[in-house]
Amino acid sequence: MSWDTELYEARHNFVWKMGEGVVELLAPRAGERILDLGCGPGQLTQKISESGAEVVGVDSSPSMIGQARQNFPKLRFILQDAASMTFENEFDAVFSNAALHWMLDPVAVVSAVSKALKPGGRFVAEMGGKGNIQTIVSAIHEVVKKYHPLPPSRQYYPSVSEYTSILESHGLEVRTAQLFDRPTPLEGDAGMENWLKQFKLYYFEGLPPTALQEVISLLRPKLHKPSGWLADYRRLRFIAVKL
Ligand code: BEZ
C-alpha cells in the first residue's frame, strides 16, 4: 500500500498520540535495544528513544521510512518487511503500535519477532483486534458490492485466542492480552471522508465519486455524534515474553 504521508501526519496523528499509552506499557529503559515494528513516520520511535534506549524503526513503506528519516534524522530507520526480518537475539524489546493488522502473514511476523528478541525480551504491541471498524467495513461493502466483487481484505484483525496461540507457538509467553473498544475521534466534519481516502481508497478505485459519499451517508447516523465523527476502533493489546 502506498501512503499519503502528508494527509497521515496532518489528519491522522491520533495514531501515534493514542499509541503513547503503548509506549508506557513498554516502559523502555536507558541502554535497552528496542525494535519499533511498523514505525510509520517515526513519532513513537522518537518517544521511545527519549528514554535513552537505542531504537531501530522498521517499516515496509518507502514513503513512511522517507518521512521518518526526514522527521528524525538522528534515529535509525530501516526499510524492511517484518515477515522477512533476519535479526537474531538482538533486542531487549519489540514494540508495535497500529501496524500488525497490516501484516497479513502473522505467523512469519511473529516468528521473525521471536528470533529478533533476546531470551527474556518482551514483545509489547497494540493492533486492530477482532471486530475492529466493523461498522465502517460493513458500509463500504454494502456500497462497493453494487459495482464490482469485493477485493480481498488488506487487513487482519485477530481475536485474543488467535493471536496469542501464534505467540505461544513461537516461544513467547503471553503475560497479558486484552481486546477492547476504543472509539476514535476523526477530526472535523470531513473526518470520515479523510479517513476513507487515507486508508480505504483501494475499494473506490474506478468507482464514481458518489460511491464514497454513499458510504459516508450510511455511516452518518451510526458514527457521527454531537461531538463529531467517532470511528469504531477495537484494539488488541498484549505483552509477551520470549522464553
Ligand atoms: C486501525 O488502526 O485499526 C486501522 C487503521 C487504518 C485502517 C483500518 C484500521
Side-chain angles (χ1 to χ4, degrees):
M1 148 136 184
S2 76
W3 286 92
D4 177 346
T5 51
E6 207 174 306
L7 179 62
Y8 194 68
E9 293 200 306
R11 296 286 174 206
H12 301 122
N13 50 28
F14 63 80
V15 175
W16 56 89
K17 290 187 177 151
M18 289 183 153
E20 288 185 2
V22 194
V23 177
E24 278 166 34
L25 203 63
L26 171 71
R29 293 185 292 272
E32 285 191 315
R33 284 208 75 212
I34 298 182
L35 176 64
D36 179 4
L37 194 57
C39 62
Q43 283 80 2
L44 292 180
T45 324
Q46 163 66 19
K47 183 97 196 147
I48 294 167
S49 79
E50 287 165 13
S51 66
E54 185 195 326
V55 200
V56 180
V58 164
D59 205 290
S60 64
S61 157
S63 54
M64 286 294 191
I65 286 292
Q67 191 62 42
R69 286 180 178 147
Q70 196 176 310
N71 288 343
F72 306 105
K74 293 196 176 135
L75 298 183
R76 184 168 168 226
F77 294 101
I78 303 175
L79 178 63
Q80 165 91 71
D81 183 36
S84 46
M85 295 186 302
T86 55
F87 300 110
E88 272 190 49
N89 287 326
E90 313 187 20
F91 292 99
D92 298 290
V94 175
F95 167 88
S96 186
N97 176 58
L100 295 173
H101 50 252
W102 296 102
M103 304 178 193
L104 300 182
D105 187 350
V107 169
V109 170
V110 172
S111 168
V113 167
S114 181
K115 282 195 193 107
L117 283 169
K118 299 174 187 170
R122 59 205 189 279
F123 184 17
V124 179
E126 187 175 291
M127 67 190 293
K130 193 173 176 70
N132 192 40
I133 58 162
Q134 192 55 58
T135 311
I136 301 178
V137 170
S138 300
I140 294 173
H141 286 185
E142 193 176 326
V143 171
V144 171
K145 71 184 181 198
K146 289 196 269 183
Y147 295 91
H148 54 56
L150 295 173
S153 172
R154 295 194 188 175
Q155 287 181 316
Y156 164 65
Y157 305 129
S159 66
V160 170
S161 66
E162 212 174 321
Y163 214 82
T164 56
S165 301
I166 300 173
L167 294 167
E168 285 172 354
S169 62
H170 289 86
L172 295 162
E173 182 177 75
V174 179
R175 298 288 174 87
T176 69
Q178 196 189 2
L179 182 69
F180 58 96
D181 288 325
R182 197 207 60 201
T184 298
L186 306 177
E187 211 180 296
D189 200 49
M192 184 55 73
E193 181 169 351
N194 286 332
W195 190 93
L196 291 166
K197 285 182 173 164
Q198 173 99 68
F199 297 115
K200 298 289 173 187
L201 203 55
Y202 58 94
Y203 276 104
F204 299 94
E205 275 156 14
L207 300 192
T210 48
L212 195 106
Q213 294 309 322
E214 237 185 291
V215 172
I216 294 169
S217 303
L218 285 176
L219 290 173
R220 193 170 282 279
K222 295 176 179 151
L223 298 181
H224 195 272
K225 311 289 174 192
S227 59
W229 285 104
L230 264 190
D232 55 336
Y233 276 35
R234 184 178 277 180
R235 305 283 93 182
L236 173 61
R237 191 185 258 206
F238 61 84
I239 302 177
V241 173
K242 183 169 172 179
L243 297 171

